[in-house]
Structures are given as structure tokens and as C-alpha cells.
């Protein structure tokens, strides 16, 4: 029997995907927050979920280890999108990718063409492209989390990070100085799987699309 595998990350993406799955008649057999299982069955014999780190979702789908996945646009931009088909905007896990600095840092002067800035981020590719488009020199420092600390201890002038309420920035004396782009999560599909398992995948895409756009 053919079956399909959907890659999801724990936390907000899993939580916000549940209603979309429900609309497609899919109910996970377990909650990954409580279970240590990485492969989770559903009420449908031919649909299973794999629980991956958010930044790994495009990789599982690219290589066909998962047929479909749900990943933030931030993660997809860094990955580059090779081997992935369709980026249906599900309008979930919404936030924005921003530049933030310490309060009082003169960002306007730093970003003049020819200017130079030290930026800490986990979004190296996206940050590089952003500052290059402004004609600036940028020294990028790769971090894996808690980016807010970097400007406070002199590791960088600025950070490129996701912001939703801005509470974490404020709590650490930082301020948002530029929005790079709005972010939401997308459904991605392995190109070969879409052709080979179209009968299973296409109806799911249709339900997700209708539910996400409220039609
Ligand atoms: P971890 O938190 O385990 O280090 P992560 O930060 O990559 O991993 P999540 O925090 O679950 O994982 O984020 C997953 C996706 O959700 C991100 O790629 C982004 O698209 C989105 N996201 C991140 N932070 C927020 C936020 N504060 N509000 C809304 N969406 C967010
Ligand atoms: Mg996180």
C-alpha cells in the first residue's frame, strides 16, 4: 500500500497544523510534546508524521524521507528550496524577520552604502543577501540561539532574528530597527513524491489550501 509521510516540528508548527490536519480528517495518534516517539501514526493507515527539528524539515522533504513537510519561510530561505515543490502559504506561525540593535545604536549611519556592520544570526544566507542588497559590508557571526545576547556582550552590533511581540527584544534593551520580511509557515512537497503519489497528496493539498485561505 502506498502511504505518505509528513514532516513536522514540535511546538508551534505542530500545534497550528492540527486544525489543518483535522480538516483533512487526520488525527495524530499521539502528541509529540508528551511522547518521545519520532514517528507518529494517525487515524489513517496511509498517513504518518515524522517529528523533526524545524530547520531540518526541508532536508527530509528534499531527499524524499518525508513526502511533505511544514516549515517556516525563514527556514526555507536558508535551505534554498532544492528538490522542493510548491510552497503553499498556510498562514500559520506568523512573525517577522528583523534587524535589531541595542537601543541607541546609530543604525541609520551604519547602513549607508559602503558602511560596515557586525551581525549575529542563525540566518546567514538571508542576512548576507539583505545587507548586500543595501550595498553594505557585513561581518556575519553564526549563532544557534539566544541571538539577543550578542549585542549586549559586544559580540555584534546587530542581530537578524524572528520577532513576534517584541517582548524578548524589549526585555533585553534591544530595539527593532528594520523589518526584512514577514514570515509564515509553508507546506512543501517532494517533487518526485508529488508525481508518484499524486492520488494521495493532491487531495491533501486541496484541503490545506481551502482551510488556510478560508475558502
Ligand atoms: P528551537 O526553538 O527548538 O531552537 P526553532 O526556533 O527553529 O527551534 P520553533 O521555535 O518551533 O523552532 O520555530 C519554528 C518556526 O516557527 C520558525 O522557523 C518560524 O517560522 C516560526 N516562529 C519562530 N518563532 C516564532 C514566533 N515567536 N512567533 C511565531 N512564529 C514563530
Ligand atoms: Mg524557537
Amino acid at each position: 500500500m502506498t502511504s505518505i509521510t509528513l514532516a513536522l516540528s514540535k511546538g508551534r508548527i505542530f500545534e497550528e497544523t492540527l486544525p489543518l490536519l483535522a480538516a483533512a480528517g487526520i488525527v495524530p495518534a499521539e502528541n509529540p510534546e508528551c511522547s518521545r516517539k519520532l514517528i507518529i501514526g494517525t487515524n489513517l493507515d496511509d498517513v504518518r508524521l515524522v517529528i523533526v527539528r524545524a530547520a531540518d524539515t526541508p532536508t527530509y522533504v528534499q531527499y524524499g524521507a518525508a513526502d511533505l513537510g511544514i516549515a517556516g519561510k525563514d527556514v526555507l530561505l536558508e535551505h534554498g528550496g532544492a528538490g522542493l515543490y510548491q510552497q503553499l502559504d498556510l498562514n500559520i506561525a506568523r512573525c517577522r524577520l528583523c534587524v535589531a540593535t541595542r537601543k541607541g545604536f546609530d543604525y541609520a549611519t551604519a547602513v549607508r552604502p559602503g558602511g560596515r556592520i557586525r551581525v549575529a544570526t542563525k540566518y546567514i544566507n538571508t542576512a548576507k543577501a539583505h545587507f548586500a542588497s543595501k550595498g553594505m559590508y557585513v561581518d556575519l557571526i553564526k549563532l544557534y540561539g539566544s541571538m539577543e545576547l550578542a549585542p549586549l556582550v559586544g559580540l555584534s552590533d546587530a542581530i537578524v532574528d524572528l520577532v513576534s511581540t517584541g517582548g524578548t527584544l524589549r526585555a533585553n534593551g534591544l530595539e527593532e530597527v528594520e523589518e526584512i520580511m514577514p514570515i509564515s509557515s509553508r507546506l512543501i512537497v517532494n517533487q518526485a513524491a508529488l508525481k508518484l503519489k499524486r492520488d494521495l497528496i493532491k487531495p491533501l493539498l486541496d484541503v490545506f489550501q481551502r482551510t488556510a485561505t478560508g475558502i
Side-chain angles (χ1 to χ4, degrees):
M1 187 182 68
T2 20
S3 62
I4 51 175
T5 300
L6 171 67
L8 290 175
S9 52
K10 283 204 277 199
R12 56 172 62 84
I13 289 189
F14 182 84
E15 299 299 331
E16 296 189 36
T17 299
L18 280 176
L20 297 170
L21 291 173
I26 300 169
V27 182
E30 279 172 272
N31 178 351
E33 304 302 336
C34 312
S35 163
R36 293 176 181 223
K37 280 197 186 159
L38 298 175
I39 301 180
I40 295 184
T42 70
N43 59 318
L44 303 185
D45 288 340
D46 54 3
V47 180
R48 65 176 187 169
L49 311 177
V50 292
I51 306 301
V52 303
R53 190 78 193 263
D56 292 334
T57 303
T59 307
Y60 278 84
V61 178
Q62 170 186 5
Y63 289 100
D67 302 303
L68 308 130
I70 297 178
K73 186 178 177 187
D74 50 320
V75 161
L76 292 169
L77 279 172
E78 277 301 296
H79 172 270
L84 305 178
Y85 177 79
Q86 181 125 4
Q87 295 198 359
L88 172 62
D89 188 351
L90 298 174
N91 264 309
I92 61 172
R94 291 163 65 95
C95 52
R96 51 194 195 276
L97 188 68
C98 295
V99 184
T101 63
R102 259 163 83 156
K103 270 205 188 73
F105 178 81
D106 187 359
Y107 186 65
T109 299
V111 294
R112 288 201 189 118
R116 178 159 221 128
I117 194 167
R118 245 160 103 90
V119 176
T121 186
K122 66 174 168 182
Y123 302 106
I124 293 286
N125 296 335
T126 310
K128 189 184 282 178
H130 175 69
F131 290 106
S133 77
K134 297 166 92 76
M136 295 173 57
Y137 300 99
V138 60
D139 298 313
L140 289 163
I141 299 171
K142 169 81 182 180
L143 290 179
Y144 293 86
S146 300
M147 264 78 82
E148 296 84 2
L149 182 61
L152 303 180
V153 294
L155 180 60
S156 70
D157 303 314
I159 59 174
V160 166
D161 197 7
L162 299 174
V163 178
S164 52
T165 63
T168 309
L169 294 181
R170 272 193 301 280
N172 289 291
L174 303 181
E175 65 184 351
E176 181 180 335
V177 290
E178 187 179 7
E179 174 171 335
I180 299 179
M181 70 182 79
I183 298 290
S184 55
S185 285
R186 319 277 155 136
L187 181 72
I188 51 173
V189 185
N190 175 272
Q191 278 168 354
L194 183 63
K195 290 192 192 125
L196 297 170
K197 303 184 182 179
R198 197 176 170 81
D199 293 353
L200 282 175
I201 292 177
K202 188 64 172 48
L204 199 55
L205 290 184
D206 292 343
V207 177
F208 277 21
Q209 176 141 40
R210 282 201 302 276
T211 311
T213 54
I215 301 167

